[in-house]
């Protein structure tokens, strides 16, 4: 069993789930998503890091080729989104920063009504990081996703990853990892690498 699966099992034992998220009292610091200006994701993460926040910007490395050279670049998976680990009290400070447009919440949720961000469970962020570090094909975010069979990758570089099948063809399936309030990070995986 890989590290992510073990951590996921440990979290299941320790946390009570409320609306699919960790209990706020048990886990006061949790991941939230903030919306920032276009092309300011790294600058925002740096500013927040300087005042003590843990941040994460989901990127995937790609090779871009020009006529005279090749270069590795980090492609943003979710433009204008920075994940921040914060408490409820820290959200107020974040909300008042000029470089943050808004804290993202599921429309109609309790958090949205109270002007808080919707918490994102730690295991979803960990699975997203694992997916982006190990995927052999391009990862995309899909928000209008139809939930299908839950699956686990049994071989290849994404072995141990659990997700949901969104689409299949003769040779492969598209597997998505849910990110609460934002949609699914999706990657194409050969059918012989996946089991229910």
């Amino acid at each position: 069993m890989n590290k992510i699966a073990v951590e996921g099992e440990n979290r299941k034992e320790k946390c009570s789930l409320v609306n699919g998220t960790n209990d706020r009292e048990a886990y006061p610091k949790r991941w939230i998503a903030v919306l920032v200006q276009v092309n300011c994701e790294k600058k925002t993460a740096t500013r927040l890091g300087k005042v003590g926040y843990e941040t994460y910007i989901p990127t995937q490395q790609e090779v871009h080729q020009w006529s005279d050279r090749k270069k590795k670049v980090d492609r943003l998976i979710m433009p204008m989104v920075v994940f921040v680990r914060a408490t409820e009290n820290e959200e107020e400070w974040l909300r008042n920063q000029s470089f943050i447009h808004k804290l993202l919440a599921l429309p109609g949720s309790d958090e949205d009504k109270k002007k808080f961000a919707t918490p994102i469970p730690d295991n979803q962020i960990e699975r997203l990081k694992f997916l982006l570090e190990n995927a052999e094909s391009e990862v995309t975010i899909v928000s209008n996703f139809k939930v299908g069979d839950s699956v686990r990758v049994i071989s290849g570089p994404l072995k141990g990853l659990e997700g949901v099948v969104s689409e299949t063809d003769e040779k492969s399936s598209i597997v998505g990892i849910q990110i609460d309030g934002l949609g699914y990070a999706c990657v194409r995986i050969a059918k012989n690498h996946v089991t229910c």
Side-chain angles (χ1 to χ4, degrees):
M1 192 179 303
N2 69 22
K3 179 182 171 189
I4 290 174
V6 171
E7 287 176 355
E9 291 300 317
N10 289 342
R11 280 196 191 95
K12 284 180 190 172
E13 294 169 9
K14 292 193 282 188
C15 69
S16 64
L17 296 179
V18 178
N19 296 328
T21 60
N22 290 336
D23 188 8
R24 288 179 187 252
E25 291 79 36
Y27 297 93
K29 280 219 176 212
R30 69 248 188 260
W31 288 105
I32 60 171
V34 299
L35 191 65
V36 300
Q37 293 177 342
V38 177
N39 297 324
C40 290
E41 298 87 356
K42 290 181 182 176
K43 185 190 286 187
T44 299
T46 301
R47 286 172 119 177
L48 292 174
K50 286 180 180 178
V51 292
Y53 287 94
E54 180 182 355
T55 62
Y56 174 60
I57 302 170
T59 60
Q60 186 176 29
Q61 198 168 76
E62 297 179 335
V63 176
H64 286 207
Q65 181 163 351
W66 289 270
S67 60
D68 61 337
R69 61 192 157 96
K70 288 183 181 180
K71 184 178 180 181
K72 288 184 181 178
V73 296
D74 288 331
R75 178 179 61 87
L76 289 172
I77 302 303
M78 296 180 214
M80 299 175 61
V81 173
V82 176
F83 292 105
V84 181
R85 198 161 173 77
T87 65
E88 277 187 37
N89 293 336
E90 292 169 332
E91 284 185 35
E92 187 64 37
W93 184 86
L94 290 168
R95 194 178 295 103
N96 293 322
Q97 300 310 301
S98 62
F99 54 90
I100 294 177
H101 283 301
K102 68 185 244 178
L103 308 183
L104 298 177
L106 288 171
S109 67
D110 288 342
E111 289 86 7
D112 187 33
K113 292 173 188 167
K114 296 176 184 175
K115 303 294 183 207
F116 286 115
T118 299
I120 300 168
D122 292 347
N123 65 349
Q124 290 181 6
I125 297 294
E126 293 303 317
R127 290 190 309 184
L128 177 62
K129 288 179 181 179
F130 179 76
L131 176 67
L132 291 171
E133 289 169 8
N134 296 289
E136 293 177 333
S137 62
E138 182 178 307
V139 175
T140 58
I141 296 296
V142 179
S143 57
N144 58 348
F145 195 90
K146 295 198 178 177
V147 177
D149 294 334
S150 294
V151 295
R152 183 179 352 180
V153 181
I154 56 171
S155 61
L158 296 175
K159 183 178 180 180
L161 183 71
E162 294 178 3
V164 176
V165 174
S166 67
E167 180 181 319
T168 63
D169 58 29
E170 292 178 12
K171 296 181 180 179
S172 62
S173 296
I174 294 179
V175 175
I177 305 302
Q178 182 176 355
I179 310 296
D180 283 355
L182 295 172
Y184 292 78
C186 299
V187 65
R188 186 172 294 279
I189 300 175
K191 279 187 172 178
N192 60 344
H193 291 291
V194 177
T195 187
C196 289

